[in-house]
Amino acid sequence: MFYTTDDNRHGLAHDPFKAIVSPRPIGWIGTKGRDGSLNLSPYSFFNAVCDNPKLVMFASSGPKDSLRNVRETGVFTASLASRHLAEQMNASSISVEYGVDEFAIAGLTAMAGTVVDAPFVAEAYAALECRVTDIVEPKTIDGGKAEAIVVFGQVVGIHLSEDILREGRVDMGIARPLARMGYRDYADGGADVFEMTRPATPQR
Ligand SMILES: Cc1cc2nc3c(=O)[nH]c(=O)nc-3n(C[C@H](O)[C@H](O)[C@H](O)COP(=O)(O)O)c2cc1C
């Protein structure tokens, strides 16, 4: 099948786009408002975009509380969701009014960042402390504004549980990162891990 997205006539019961672009990691964005309130929300429009320096991004589909807080404070954390914390991750996605603490709703421990004033999930196997570098409102091909507002942050501190390390490497079978698939589907990123070596560069 082929369809163009101007009319999006795929003929399916559900738009397959987010299933096509999957799996996606889930950044559990932790922020603090100027009023001191804590916020935690999962974002699967989330990824690492640079290793040097370490940059990550998340995209807010319209203005949300996490975006408000990063605009107010210039910092956020991204904890990595895992299979063990799937239910808590889901619980934290609830739509509640500004100022309501989703760490408490999900029964998670909000740990204060070491170098940024934003909370992270103490139970997560890893969490990134980030300072905002850019907030971008992407354009569409007709020059209009997309729904997304993209927050880029430089990672300035990393928490990593030593329980998931084996021989100096992160063991995915233990960490079991949670992947967002399409629809309501998720996958266990520790379930089918295999190794490949990249091809050698041909000699010229
Ligand atoms: C697995 C998962 C991934 C999500 N990814 C996004 C996302 O990338 N962008 C977004 O705007 N909302 C996303 N959501 C919805 C937000 O988590 C939800 O709207 C949340 O209430 C936003 O909270 P906030 O207003 O406190 O920031 C996702 C929800 C789930 C369960």
Side-chain angles (χ1 to χ4, degrees):
M1 108 167 39
F2 172 79
Y3 62 97
T4 58
T5 54
D6 46 2
D7 54 8
N8 218 31
R9 261 193 239 152
H10 42 70
L12 305 170
H14 301 284
D15 189 331
F17 178 66
K18 289 197 276 188
I20 294 167
V21 187
S22 76
R24 297 184 304 279
I26 301 172
W28 226 344
I29 305 303
T31 55
K32 191 173 180 176
R34 208 183 277 138
D35 62 0
S37 63
L38 303 186
N39 192 280
L40 178 70
S41 304
Y43 285 78
S44 69
F45 291 147
F46 163 79
N47 224 311
V49 292
C50 184
D51 195 30
N52 184 28
K54 300 189 190 325
L55 297 176
V56 295
M57 56 67 65
F58 72 93
S60 184
S61 303
K64 295 191 178 185
D65 297 345
S66 306
L67 180 70
R68 170 176 166 173
N69 287 350
V70 298
R71 282 195 161 127
E72 287 185 3
T73 63
V75 294
F76 65 93
T77 66
S79 302
L80 279 299
S82 63
R83 179 69 189 91
H84 319 82
L85 297 173
E87 295 297 331
Q88 291 90 329
M89 180 286 299
N90 199 32
S92 72
S93 74
I94 190 168
S95 274
V96 283
E97 64 188 44
Y98 182 78
V100 175
D101 176 354
E102 293 94 351
F103 283 92
I105 290 176
L108 293 162
T109 313
M111 188 82 95
T114 306
V115 289
V116 306
D117 191 12
F120 66 94
V121 176
E123 291 84 352
Y125 68 83
L128 314 174
E129 296 195 16
C130 307
R131 289 193 192 284
V132 174
T133 54
D134 276 299
I135 298 181
V136 177
E137 300 195 15
K139 284 194 288 292
T140 60
I141 46 176
D142 55 13
K145 272 188 186 175
E147 183 187 51
I149 302 142
V150 188
V151 178
F152 290 88
Q154 185 163 332
V155 180
V156 292
I158 299 181
H159 300 268
L160 185 61
S161 164
E162 290 178 22
D163 295 347
I164 62 157
L165 299 179
R166 289 292 176 273
E167 293 169 13
R169 291 168 53 144
V170 172
D171 187 319
M172 290 299 165
I174 305 172
R176 300 176 70 190
L178 191 62
R180 177 69 150 152
M181 314 301 272
Y183 319 108
R184 294 177 185 158
D185 295 343
Y186 294 87
D188 179 341
D192 183 23
V193 180
F194 59 95
E195 217 174 34
M196 282 200 288
T197 306
R198 282 178 64 181
T201 309
Q203 299 297 319
R204 288 169 197 261

